Amino acid sequence: PKQSGGVMIGVARTVQLPRPNDFLAVLSALTELSAGDVLVVNTGGSTRAVAGSLFTTEATRRGVNGIVVDGPIRDVAELECFAYSTKITPYAGT
């Protein structure tokens, strides 16, 4: 996993979830990200994670510099890219 204290710089690509806990928009955005991008997600009050280790592994493979989530993420010990979130939960979205 990435160590804390690193720098995350890149073009911000924003996603707004249509409904809380529905992370399909985040998965869709992943297919449109380019190397060097930073994904910024507004979860609209989600209580379930919109990203975890599988998501960040694919983001890293695509060259994404990191993700910022206004809401929960999971698998924080196993994340492959820089990730900042307002919450951590073990529960995945739908």
Side-chain angles (χ1 to χ4, degrees):
K2 291 282 186 175
Q3 300 300 313
S4 62
V7 176
M8 180 174 35
I9 299 172
V11 175
R13 304 294 181 187
T14 60
V15 174
Q16 168 69 52
L17 298 190
R19 293 174 298 284
N21 302 319
D22 181 0
F23 68 94
L24 185 58
V26 178
L27 296 177
S28 179
L30 181 59
T31 65
E32 299 174 15
L33 294 173
S34 300
D37 286 348
V38 174
L39 181 62
V40 180
V41 181
N42 180 352
T43 67
S46 289
T47 58
R48 296 185 176 258
V50 298
S53 64
L54 292 176
F55 183 88
T56 60
T57 298
E58 178 60 16
T60 299
R61 190 186 72 76
R62 292 174 175 266
V64 173
N65 284 349
I67 62 172
V68 178
V69 180
D70 181 14
I73 60 173
R74 64 188 218 145
D75 308 328
V76 294
E78 301 161 5
L79 299 181
E80 293 293 325
C81 68
F82 289 110
Y84 297 92
S85 71
T86 56
K87 299 175 187 169
I88 298 171
T89 183
Y91 305 109
T94 57

